[in-house]
Amino acid sequence: MSQTDNKRFFESLSGAGKAIAVLTSGGDAQGMNAAVRAVVRMGIYVGAKVYFVHEGYQGMVDGGDNIKEATWESVSSMLQMGGTVIGSARCKDFRMHEGRLKAAHNLVQRGITNLCVIGGDGSLTGANLFREEWSGLLAELVEQGLIDEEASQKYSALHIVGMVGSIDNDFCGTDMTIGTDSALHRIIEVVDAIMTTAQSHQRTFVLEVMGRHCGYLALVSALACGADWVLIPEMPPEDGWEEKMCQKLSATRSRGSRLNIIIVAEGAIDRHGKAITSSIVKDLVVQRLGFDTRVTILGHVQRGGTPSAFDRILASRMGVEAVLALLETTANTPACVVSLCGNQSVRLPLMECVQMTQQVQKAMDEKRFEEAVQLRGRSFENNLKTYKLLAHRKPESELPQSNFNVAVLNVGAPAAGMNAAVRSAVRVGISEGHKMFAVSDGFEGFYKGQIKEIKWADVGGWTGQGGSLLGTKRTLPAKHIDKIAEQMRKYNINALLVIGGFEALECLLQLYEARSSYEEFCIPLCMLPATISNNVPGTNLSIGADTALNAIVETCDRIKQSASGTKHRVFIIETMGGYCGYLASVGGLASGADAAYIFEEPFDIKDLQSNVEHLTEKMKTSIQRGLILRNENSNENYTTDFIYQLYSEEGKGVFDCRKNVLGHMQQGGAPSPFDRNFGTKIAAKAMQWISRKLNESYRQGRVFANTEDSACLLGMRRRALLFQPVVQLRDETDFVHRIPKEQWWLKLRPLMKILAKYKTSYDVSDSGQLEHVVLNRPKESEAMAAI
């Protein structure tokens, strides 16, 4: 679809005369408010009337003030709030026919025939039943004289679109539900805090997390913190697990570890369906091992707090997509749910997803546990396999003997999640039978011979560490290629895993080109993208970018909060990223910015003036704060100081200005759950690829690999994790500005502008289209945008 056709198509999706109601139902989840905000603002933007339904289905049944028209300003300052501002409630009345009849009457009175439901599978199933009964309910209302025949004809069809808000991530059809990432943030914050006190006292901690029917939170948090043992309902431990767990804990202590972490899902069971509680696990450890053991039950802490950057972006994208889906729906369109597959928005038939979700529980009830794991989806299955691979060390006698030496190093600026990737690579490499070598300080350390063997226990506790424990430098190998080749020969390095940003890509290209002169580089070469700037071609996401986004969003929240109760104020915030505007743009979307200035979208003084005027207009309403983000290299002349001075001058009498340069705080701190798990999983996948390439290229007692596909970058493209030859990425790269020539996130910029009340054209060519639920996607197109 051309840009002109796309614009016409978008403009044809007029919501004039339509009324949309949005409600949150069931348990609350962080990010629900961001979804409500997106639905309201997108709905108003396209000309529809949008209504809040307070207190979920109970408010729909009770009517009155529970159903109120929303305004643009009524969702201001909602983005960063946890829970759900419009309220949620379990509703027995809606389960009864009489309750649904009252709800239908209340909606028809206001002309509402479009319903956006944010909740779990129970809430969405109830919405679908309501939709199916709609015509019958209207007929009853006509019969009772509550509405006339004309109203019945005018509002004859009810359209439903769902978004899944659930911290458990227990809904089939989507890689991630709204609230899950934020819940993981709460869990990991607690685990990181617990690990310090556990280490001090040589304690074992048993941590119970939510998940009555789904072990996603337990599994992913175990993967993110390197827990010694995890218990989940989908895959109960084999009989005799008690002895195996105690042996594992004892072995960990004997290797010098001062703590043990065991994570238990609240719905954990054994193979016979008997509950495994945190207190049972504690008693077991105390009785058999005598370890000082404590239990921490997180409970509703996991539902609390502000939503993460991931959840805000996910909810905002889903909310806009839900409105588009409602505008496009017809009387014959089945009720759909907006989902995330890889990095793409998709629309799936609601009841197909609900039925598959119910199949998981049925498989668990019937003790078909392997099937239950498969039904959870490829991401869940992959998490479980990766955890088993990294947490349970095989005895030396059981390891394959490959006789290959693999080196791993970090290149470029530090990025949170690098250490998790190194840990994963080392442990998977050892499991594959390789001897693993760690190179300190990048290629500078390489040519100086800072290379040593690294063992399984050496990387214990690395997942939660920020920065780069190996050390990292920006030095490129070309100037020292002789010395690096010499070190390759000395240590007999058979494969190389480079973890880093744009410099890492340049390094791999230089090593590839050096193959014609040095056979030492005719080996499998693999790169994992790790940079906060997210400026590496060949991947939608890089390790470290999520942590940096959260740092930006948390700072913006605090800065905006500092202005509460004061006069009107605009904040100018400078972000890092080099010439790549990812952090400014996506951080702007997640923090509710009014504008984000970036290099990729040139701007001039007229644009700046237009933005000032736009803010001035908004400040004349009840909106008190404005937020402007600027990428550090967005423009040589329109600096942060210049923009600050311009806004200060032009806003006199209406608002005042403050500026803040975030600087290197964006690179620091503990990695987010997303970065820990993304780094862990792609490093494991990279090492398995290296093992295959080593076996394929081993001939006559030596490794020789000089084809294009033996020097690859592992990146995520849309829905797939792909190994791409680095030489093929040259044409996609702007080497002068160190960015990809095409960047997927630029399509999110109109969304940010729409939610900030600018008139623009949203690229609907990339919006979700109705698909069927696919149970087993091909392995080569593994969806892994979500954790």
Side-chain angles (χ1 to χ4, degrees), residues 187-202:
I187 294 168
I188 294 304
E189 284 163 12
V190 171
V191 172
D192 285 351
I194 278 174
M195 287 175 88
T196 57
T197 184
Q199 220 157 14
S200 302
H201 297 276
Q202 295 194 60

Side-chain angles (χ1 to χ4, degrees), residues 39 629 666 760 780:
V39 169
L629 269 64
Q666 296 158 87
T760 187
E780 58 268 23

Side-chain angles (χ1 to χ4, degrees), residues 634-686:
S634 56
N635 190 288
E636 188 180 353
N637 297 309
Y638 299 137
T639 62
T640 302
D641 281 335
F642 177 90
I643 293 172
Y644 163 69
Q645 289 165 4
L646 175 70
Y647 274 75
S648 297
E649 180 64 30
E650 296 296 318
K652 277 182 180 176
V654 181
F655 58 80
D656 65 0
C657 271
R658 296 289 186 273
K659 66 174 178 177
N660 196 305
V661 178
L662 300 186
H664 283 78
M665 64 169 291
Q666 296 158 87
Q667 283 184 336
S672 69
F674 185 100
D675 280 329
R676 297 182 195 203
N677 286 286
F678 188 51
T680 297
K681 291 200 291 188
I682 66 170
K685 193 173 180 72

Side-chain angles (χ1 to χ4, degrees), residues 474-493:
R474 296 181 184 272
T475 308
L476 299 180
K479 290 181 181 178
H480 310 283
I481 206 78
D482 290 344
K483 292 179 181 177
I484 292 170
E486 185 184 320
Q487 297 295 340
M488 298 278 282
R489 284 194 301 274
K490 180 179 176 181
Y491 290 93
N492 189 27
I493 302 299

Side-chain angles (χ1 to χ4, degrees), residues 165-178:
S166 164
I167 68 165
D168 292 331
N169 203 31
D170 57 354
F171 192 80
C172 291
T174 185
D175 286 349
M176 207 68 158
T177 58
I178 296 168

Side-chain angles (χ1 to χ4, degrees), residues 560-775:
K560 287 197 293 184
Q561 193 178 44
S562 73
S564 59
T566 66
K567 57 186 176 181
H568 296 83
R569 183 164 286 169
V570 173
F571 296 93
I572 316 293
I573 312 290
E574 183 185 296
T575 67
M576 293 176 83
Y579 285 97
C580 179
Y582 176 80
L583 291 179
S585 294
V586 182
L589 177 60
S591 54
D594 294 278
Y597 300 122
I598 62 171
F599 170 78
E600 293 90 340
E601 201 172 275
F603 57 97
D604 57 25
I605 195 68
K606 290 178 183 176
D607 297 312
L608 292 170
Q609 184 64 36
S610 173
N611 293 151
V612 172
E613 290 170 0
H614 182 79
L615 261 178
T616 304
E617 282 300 309
K618 286 174 73 173
M619 290 289 181
K620 288 175 181 175
T621 66
S622 60
I623 293 173
Q624 289 186 314
R625 297 182 295 276
L627 185 66
I628 306 294
L629 269 64
R630 178 190 175 273
N631 167 244
E632 59 184 348
N633 289 344
S634 56
N635 190 288
E636 188 180 353
N637 297 309
Y638 299 137
T639 62
T640 302
D641 281 335
F642 177 90
I643 293 172
Y644 163 69
Q645 289 165 4
L646 175 70
Y647 274 75
S648 297
E649 180 64 30
E650 296 296 318
K652 277 182 180 176
V654 181
F655 58 80
D656 65 0
C657 271
R658 296 289 186 273
K659 66 174 178 177
N660 196 305
V661 178
L662 300 186
H664 283 78
M665 64 169 291
Q666 296 158 87
Q667 283 184 336
S672 69
F674 185 100
D675 280 329
R676 297 182 195 203
N677 286 286
F678 188 51
T680 297
K681 291 200 291 188
I682 66 170
K685 193 173 180 72
M687 283 308 303
Q688 289 167 338
W689 176 87
I690 283 173
S691 295
R692 286 197 304 272
K693 288 293 178 185
L694 283 168
N695 290 323
E696 288 170 12
S697 56
Y698 186 69
R699 298 285 184 276
Q700 300 175 340
R702 56 174 288 198
V703 173
F704 186 82
N706 67 345
T707 55
E708 283 187 3
D709 66 353
S710 62
C712 284
L713 177 147
L714 174 56
M716 194 189 71
R717 287 287 183 97
R718 295 169 72 88
R719 304 187 190 188
L721 270 178
L722 300 173
F723 288 94
Q724 303 147 95
V726 289
V727 289
Q728 293 179 14
L729 295 175
R730 277 180 177 153
D731 293 339
E732 299 179 25
T733 308
D734 175 354
F735 284 96
V736 174
H737 298 103
R738 299 160 58 87
I739 55 174
K741 289 178 180 175
E742 288 188 19
Q743 305 193 76
W744 68 273
W745 51 265
L746 286 169
K747 292 183 177 181
L748 298 181
R749 284 183 61 79
L751 191 151
M752 181 189 74
K753 291 175 183 176
I754 287 169
L755 298 180
K757 214 173 184 177
Y758 284 92
K759 285 291 176 187
T760 187
S761 177
Y762 183 53
D763 186 0
V764 294
S765 64
D766 199 44
S767 71
Q769 300 303 316
L770 194 65
E771 301 177 5
H772 289 286
V773 182
V774 180
L775 178 56

Side-chain angles (χ1 to χ4, degrees), residues 322-439:
V323 172
L324 292 176
L326 284 171
L327 295 180
E328 292 176 41
T329 194
T330 65
N332 300 320
T333 308
C336 76
V337 60
V338 178
S339 299
L340 181 77
C341 179
N343 200 34
Q344 299 298 115
S345 292
V346 295
R347 301 175 196 170
L348 300 172
L350 173 59
M351 291 317 293
E352 283 187 28
C353 296
V354 169
Q355 285 157 13
M356 191 175 286
T357 304
Q358 292 168 348
Q359 283 179 37
V360 180
Q361 189 58 50
K362 187 180 178 186
M364 287 161 61
D365 292 341
E366 295 173 1
K367 298 182 172 58
R368 292 180 282 115
F369 298 115
E370 295 283 349
E371 187 181 334
V373 169
Q374 289 177 346
L375 286 166
R376 280 279 179 233
R378 181 72 65 187
S379 183
F380 188 95
E381 196 175 2
N382 195 44
N383 283 323
L384 186 58
K385 286 178 182 174
T386 307
Y387 176 77
K388 287 178 178 177
L389 197 62
L390 296 173
H392 303 295
R393 184 183 184 184
K394 292 179 182 177
E396 296 284 341
S397 57
E398 293 181 24
L399 291 174
Q401 295 302 310
S402 74
N403 297 318
F404 292 127
N405 295 344
V406 181
V408 58
L409 70 159
N410 295 334
V411 174
M418 276 182 163
N419 297 320
V422 171
R423 169 186 176 269
S424 176
V426 167
R427 291 195 169 181
V428 173
I430 291 170
S431 297
E432 300 270 319
H434 310 317
K435 188 181 281 190
M436 298 299 296
F437 288 85
V439 182

